[in-house]
């Protein structure tokens, strides 16, 4: 069995192993990390040899830590990262390069249709009818997108929404509210098979699926990092927030994961504070200046047009994993439009948590 895991902010860990009579055998750990002294790698392999195959990541990390010489120095490597690579090997997880990725980048769509497309395309990946997909959104109108479990009245100021002509929609994933203006927001979704995150905890899957965009930002000279649970930020503020939803496969088959990210290309903090109640509560003592400090827009950091930032991001993904241009099929669009009518544009769904 073979498992790989890139430690967030670190290096790649590779584990090859067998399972015999319920325990790990012939364990070999490798990677592009740094480790001193040399014999520490033998200690890691020895700690894993004979471990029950049911041992979780924390248990594997504890075995490794206990076996390491006191003088051990690990750079780009952690005991937890090795444990995660083992769990991914045991789960027969797939890697990014195992898949043929498809790009969907359409003309601007209404907010409710974006919500529906996320659900439909991810369900198609779960069913095996669609390749893993990177979908870059274009917004037809400004919107507030609230998380699946957020209270509508607590998050949104209806007077501010009406004054600024915004649409309020609720997405299928959890997390916080998104303030969206078409020219100031970059949003994308990853619809991926569950196998890509097999062996990862829910929290670790955020870092794993965000890793490519950290690389893309780095290619543009932005030193960004993942901040648990679901933020991407620089030293001076937040760039983006992510959210996820698991969708079951048919008849008990492995499902798929929806991972979508909204990035701030620019920000109108005054308008945001008039639309989002939560913004007022968090920042009422410092007002707009605090809102600007909390967000570090890509326009300020790059000096590039929004379209160029998106093009660079797509190019970075393509260079790492390959990417074929695709489209939403007529059947998928029909299903999404039906979901808009029956779910995402209805008061029952939007106000399901009043």
């Amino acid at each position: 069995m073979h498992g790989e895991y890139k430690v967030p902010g670190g290096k790649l860990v590779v584990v090859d192993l067998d399972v015999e009579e319920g325990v790990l055998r012939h364990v070999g750990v490798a990677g592009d990390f740094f480790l001193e002294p040399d014999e520490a790698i033998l200690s890691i392999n020895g700690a894993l040899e004979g471990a029950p195959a049911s041992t979780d990541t924390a248990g594997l990390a504890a075995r490794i830590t206990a076996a390491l010489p006191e003088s051990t120095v690990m750079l780009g490597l952690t005991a937890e990262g090795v444990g995660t690579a083992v769990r991914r090997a045991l789960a027969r997880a797939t890697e990014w390069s195992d898949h043929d990725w498809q790009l969907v980048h359409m003309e601007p769509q209404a907010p409710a249709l974006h919500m529906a497309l996320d659900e439909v395309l991810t369900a198609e990946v779960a069913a095996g009818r669609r390749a893993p997909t990177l979908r870059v959104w274009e917004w037809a109108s400004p919107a507030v997108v609230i998380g699946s479990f957020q209270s509508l009245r607590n998050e949104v100021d209806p007077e501010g929404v009406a004054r600024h002509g915004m649409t309020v929609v609720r997405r299928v994933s959890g997390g916080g509210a998104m303030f969206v203006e078409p020219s100031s927001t970059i949003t994308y979704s990853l619809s991926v098979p569950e196998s890509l995150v097999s062996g990862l905890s829910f929290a670790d899957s955020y870092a794993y699926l965000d890793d490519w965009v950290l690389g893309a930002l780095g290619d543009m000279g932005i030193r960004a990092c993942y901040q648990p649970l679901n933020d991407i930020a620089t030293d001076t503020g937040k760039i983006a927030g992510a959210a996820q939803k698991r969708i079951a496969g048919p008849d008990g088959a492995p499902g798929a994961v929806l991972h979508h990210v909204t990035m701030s290309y620019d920000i109108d903090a005054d308008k945001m504070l008039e639309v989002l109640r939560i913004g007022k509560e968090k920042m009422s003592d410092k007002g707009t200046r605090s809102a600007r400090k909390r967000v570090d827009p890509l326009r300020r950091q790059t000096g590039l047009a929004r379209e160029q930032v998106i093009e660079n991001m797509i190019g970075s993904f393509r260079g790492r994993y390959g990417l074929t241009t695709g489209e939403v099929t007529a059947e998928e669009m029909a299903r999404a439009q039906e979901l808009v009518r029956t779910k995402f544009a209805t008061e029952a769904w939007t106000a399901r948590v009043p």
Side-chain angles (χ1 to χ4, degrees), residues 17-243:
L17 57 84
D18 296 319
V19 175
E20 297 176 359
E21 298 182 352
V23 300
L24 308 186
R25 296 298 184 196
H26 314 122
V27 180
V29 176
D32 60 354
F33 48 80
F34 301 92
L35 179 64
E36 294 288 347
D38 285 353
E39 55 267 26
I41 192 68
L42 301 178
S43 300
I44 293 174
N45 292 340
L48 296 171
E49 191 74 22
S54 59
T55 309
D56 63 13
T57 299
L60 294 169
R63 291 175 69 106
I64 294 167
T65 300
L68 287 171
E70 290 186 7
S71 60
T72 298
V73 176
M74 295 190 289
L75 297 175
L77 174 69
T78 64
E80 292 76 13
V82 177
T84 299
V86 170
R87 294 309 314 170
R88 284 179 60 75
L90 293 168
R92 300 187 184 277
T94 58
E95 308 299 330
W96 293 88
S97 58
D98 292 332
H99 300 284
D100 295 323
W101 293 90
Q102 185 173 116
L103 170 69
V104 171
H105 190 188
M106 306 167 60
E107 64 276 5
Q109 304 292 335
L113 185 59
H114 279 305
M115 306 302 109
L117 284 169
D118 262 359
E119 182 170 324
V120 169
L121 298 189
T122 308
E124 288 296 285
V125 172
R129 293 187 292 264
R130 163 171 281 276
T133 299
L134 167 66
R135 183 171 74 90
V136 179
W137 303 21
E138 297 292 348
W139 296 88
S141 60
V144 173
V145 183
I146 58 175
S148 181
F149 310 107
Q150 287 189 295
S151 163
L152 178 62
R153 71 166 69 98
N154 288 344
E155 301 300 326
V156 179
D157 185 325
E159 293 182 359
V161 165
R163 182 163 58 252
H164 295 293
M166 307 195 83
T167 300
V168 180
V169 292
R170 185 185 294 274
R171 61 181 185 270
V172 295
S173 62
M178 298 158 47
F179 172 76
V180 173
E181 293 189 285
S183 62
S184 300
T185 306
I186 297 173
T187 308
Y188 69 85
S189 301
L190 287 169
S191 297
V192 306
E194 188 177 30
S195 63
L196 188 63
V197 296
S198 292
L200 299 179
S201 69
F202 187 85
D204 286 344
S205 70
Y206 274 85
Y208 186 73
L209 294 177
D210 280 340
D211 188 66
W212 79 271
V213 81
L214 295 181
L217 292 170
D219 292 343
M220 289 182 276
I222 301 171
R223 297 184 62 183
C225 63
Y226 164 74
Q227 292 188 342
L229 171 65
N230 62 332
D231 285 349
I232 297 171
T234 66
D235 291 341
T236 55
K238 178 178 174 178
I239 294 174

Side-chain angles (χ1 to χ4, degrees), residues 6 52 88 111 276:
K6 184 179 181 299
R88 284 179 60 75
L276 298 181

